[in-house]
Amino acid sequence: MLPQAPWFEESRFGMFIHWGLYSMAARHEWVMNREKIPEETYEKYFDHFAPDLYDPHAWAQAAKNAGMKYVVLTTKHHEGFCLWDSALTDYKATRTPFGEDLVAAYITALREAGLKVGFYHSLIDWHHPDFPIDGVHPRRDDNDARALNKDRDIAKYRHYLHGQVRELLTNYGQIDYLFFDFSYVDEGHAGIWGGKGREDWGSEELLAMVRELQPGIVVNDRLDIPGDFVTPEQYQPAAQMEVHGEPVAWEACQTLNGSWGYDRDNLDYKSVDLLVRMLIDGVSKNGNLLLNVGPTGRGAFDSRAQTTLAGIGEWMKLHGRSIYGAGQSGYAPPPDARYTQRGNRLYLHLFAWPFEYVHLKGLAGKVRYAQLLNDGSELKMVQLDPHRSAQNTHMGGQPEGTLTIKLPVQRPAVAVPVIELFIYDES
């Protein structure tokens, strides 16, 4: 557990929200970069930003109904547009036709719903005149791109960056979570010219300021210095994540369809079953899942996102206690299954439904009761003699120490069936 924020690993499941001017383009949150759109052309989105369907209470309720315990909103993405009323720029929501501080309303809605409040904040800013052009900047291929940097001062931008973070962590009360994004100077970004990292951001000073302003906050690892947790993105780690051989808190950030911002024509949506399995898989390795939704340009979750969140919520309503406060187990699960454990309760998540029996190594004599978690119905337990021969309709023995659970033929009508095993106190 993180000492300043035990809630983080207790929660296990949160919502990421990517929302900005790119939501109006509806072609991925990196549309400015991908299409190399100059600032003056991109300005049309600012001039027409009027999200009349923005309802942060509906966002909060959707997160809560899905079983999520915290929400993380993009206060500013790489495009530089700010969702709050920053005193340091006019490139903000309060200067658009909408004219309101979107972050303030978001925080109020989350607190009323009992959800933890999180911010995402981009270290990158393609709109700021002092942010040096580099290999990921929309103007990277301009004939005079490198020459333009002579008039750009990263120190001035760094002062702006720190000032905006100070605003966010000073003006809105307690903030529980902060996701910085991102540094690109390591070997994984070696091909990017002009990459930026800890010296450019003033990361040590920035993190110290964050800790001073919000002592209980959790901060991710993308400042090019260590944070409270690590952030695998768009993949599932194969095991408990480690840094220098030591286990660390971690959170996988994942999308519904491969895009973070609203992407109208991207139909590559993950199924509810797959997303539930991803959540379970992460918790079985002591990780969290931060699942993203990209609201539309009018500020609403589209119907596909709503349907997916509702489906996850149906599963979480019945199986949440196998997720919240649970983590990796020392027992080895059978094939096509994952264990999570919370105290003396062991949860067997069956990704594939066996025919009549499932065999659990090392659990013979250790389980006092077994039930299906979705309806609390008892499951019979047997221990087969290892020397028993298989014959006709009689199942053969199982290795010493194996517990066998008898299952109904019909698979429960849930995304992933879970067996709750009550373990004898081993202390």
Side-chain angles (χ1 to χ4, degrees):
M1 291 287 182
L2 299 177
Q4 81 277 26
W7 67 266
F8 179 69
E9 289 168 281
E10 171 71 26
S11 298
R12 289 304 186 202
F13 192 25
M15 176 182 284
F16 217 172
I17 300 178
H18 274 66
W19 194 40
L21 299 181
Y22 47 81
S23 303
M24 300 173 66
R27 300 191 300 277
H28 197 280
E29 73 286 347
W30 277 58
V31 61
M32 189 179 185
N33 166 286
R34 288 181 168 188
E35 300 178 16
K36 303 176 186 177
I37 303 174
E39 294 93 329
E40 57 271 21
T41 303
Y42 203 76
E43 194 74 9
K44 63 186 175 183
Y45 302 125
F46 181 87
D47 293 340
H48 293 89
F49 185 73
D52 58 315
L53 299 182
Y54 174 54
D55 182 355
H57 292 280
W59 290 10
Q61 195 60 53
K64 193 167 184 175
N65 290 348
M68 294 154 164
K69 298 293 188 180
Y70 57 106
V71 182
V72 181
L73 172 66
T74 51
T75 57
K76 181 195 79 168
H77 202 259
H78 310 329
E79 65 183 5
F81 177 67
C82 302
L83 297 188
W84 80 102
D85 189 20
S86 174
L88 302 178
T89 183
D90 285 337
Y91 201 54
K92 56 186 178 179
T94 52
R95 298 283 291 183
T96 67
F98 190 65
E100 295 180 19
D101 185 324
L102 300 163
V103 170
Y106 155 81
I107 292 172
T108 297
L110 259 59
R111 288 181 180 146
E112 290 180 2
L115 298 167
K116 295 292 185 181
V117 177
F119 290 160
Y120 163 110
H121 194 73
S122 174
L123 300 167
I124 299 167
D125 193 317
W126 297 326
H127 182 268
H128 197 281
D130 279 305
F131 187 84
I133 297 170
D134 56 31
V136 296
H137 197 283
R139 301 188 64 180
R140 61 192 175 276
D141 293 333
D142 287 9
N143 292 332
D144 59 348
R146 294 176 189 259
L148 287 173
N149 282 336
K150 289 187 296 184
D151 298 321
R152 297 184 177 226
D153 187 348
I154 190 67
K156 290 182 180 178
Y157 173 71
R158 183 165 54 245
H159 181 74
Y160 174 79
L161 169 65
H162 287 219
Q164 289 206 313
V165 172
R166 179 176 290 277
E167 283 184 337
L168 288 167
L169 299 186
T170 301
N171 297 345
Y172 298 103
Q174 180 177 326
I175 305 302
D176 304 294
Y177 174 117
L178 184 56
F179 190 115
F180 285 116
D181 196 32
F182 64 98
S183 298
Y184 45 113
V185 289
D186 61 15
E187 60 184 18
H189 301 95
I192 299 174
W193 64 271
K196 297 175 178 62
R198 69 187 74 181
E199 294 183 3
D200 303 287
W201 318 132
S203 295
E204 297 284 357
E205 298 81 6
L206 180 57
L207 185 57
M209 180 184 72
V210 169
R211 301 282 191 213
E212 178 185 357
L213 295 174
Q214 298 281 347
I217 204 167
V218 295
V219 185
N220 75 333
D221 64 334
R222 298 193 179 187
L223 280 170
D224 193 30
I225 58 175
D228 295 314
F229 60 97
V230 299
T231 52
E233 180 175 337
Q234 302 270 46
Y235 74 91
Q236 287 295 108
Q240 158 77 59
M241 296 205 74
E242 299 179 346
V243 174
H244 304 306
E246 295 295 325
V248 293
W250 64 273
E251 175 188 70
C253 43
Q254 302 283 6
T255 60
L256 293 180
N257 66 351
S259 296
W260 298 100
Y262 178 61
D263 194 344
R264 183 192 60 211
D265 301 329
N266 181 346
L267 305 180
D268 197 16
Y269 279 81
K270 301 175 183 69
S271 68
V272 169
D273 291 12
L274 175 57
L275 291 167
V276 168
R277 291 197 300 273
M278 290 164 65
L279 171 61
I280 294 164
D281 180 68
V283 176
S284 77
K285 299 163 185 172
N286 284 331
N288 287 22
L289 174 62
L290 187 64
L291 182 61
N292 183 77
V293 179
T296 69
R298 294 185 67 184
F301 292 175
D302 83 334
S303 60
R304 295 164 294 190
Q306 292 179 31
T307 299
T308 299
L309 292 172
I312 296 171
E314 288 179 12
W315 186 87
M316 286 293 288
K317 183 177 180 180
L318 297 176
H319 303 91
R321 69 186 191 217
S322 73
I323 299 297
Y324 304 129
Q328 190 170 33
S329 173
Y331 296 104
D336 296 321
R338 300 289 189 278
Y339 278 138
T340 63
Q341 188 165 354
R342 181 168 52 85
N344 290 335
R345 296 194 188 192
L346 180 65
Y347 297 94
L348 174 63
H349 302 80
L350 293 167
F351 288 5
W353 186 249
F355 172 59
E356 286 203 274
Y357 298 96
V358 61
H359 307 289
L360 309 178
K361 293 181 180 179
L363 285 177
K366 297 183 179 181
V367 178
R368 57 186 173 86
Y369 189 75
Q371 65 181 10
L372 281 170
L373 185 54
N374 63 290
D375 64 358
S377 58
E378 182 185 8
L379 295 172
K380 292 184 177 179
M381 302 183 291
V382 295
Q383 188 173 343
L384 301 173
D385 183 347
H387 305 293
R388 173 179 167 176
S389 298
Q391 184 179 18
N392 297 340
T393 59
H394 293 280
M395 182 167 44
Q398 291 293 314
E400 191 75 38
T402 299
L403 174 67
T404 296
I405 305 287
K406 190 176 189 307
L407 302 174
V409 173
Q410 291 294 322
R411 178 186 184 279
V414 295
V416 176
V418 180
I419 296 173
E420 185 174 40
L421 303 166
F422 294 77
I423 307 293
Y424 287 110
D425 190 352
E426 298 177 328
S427 60

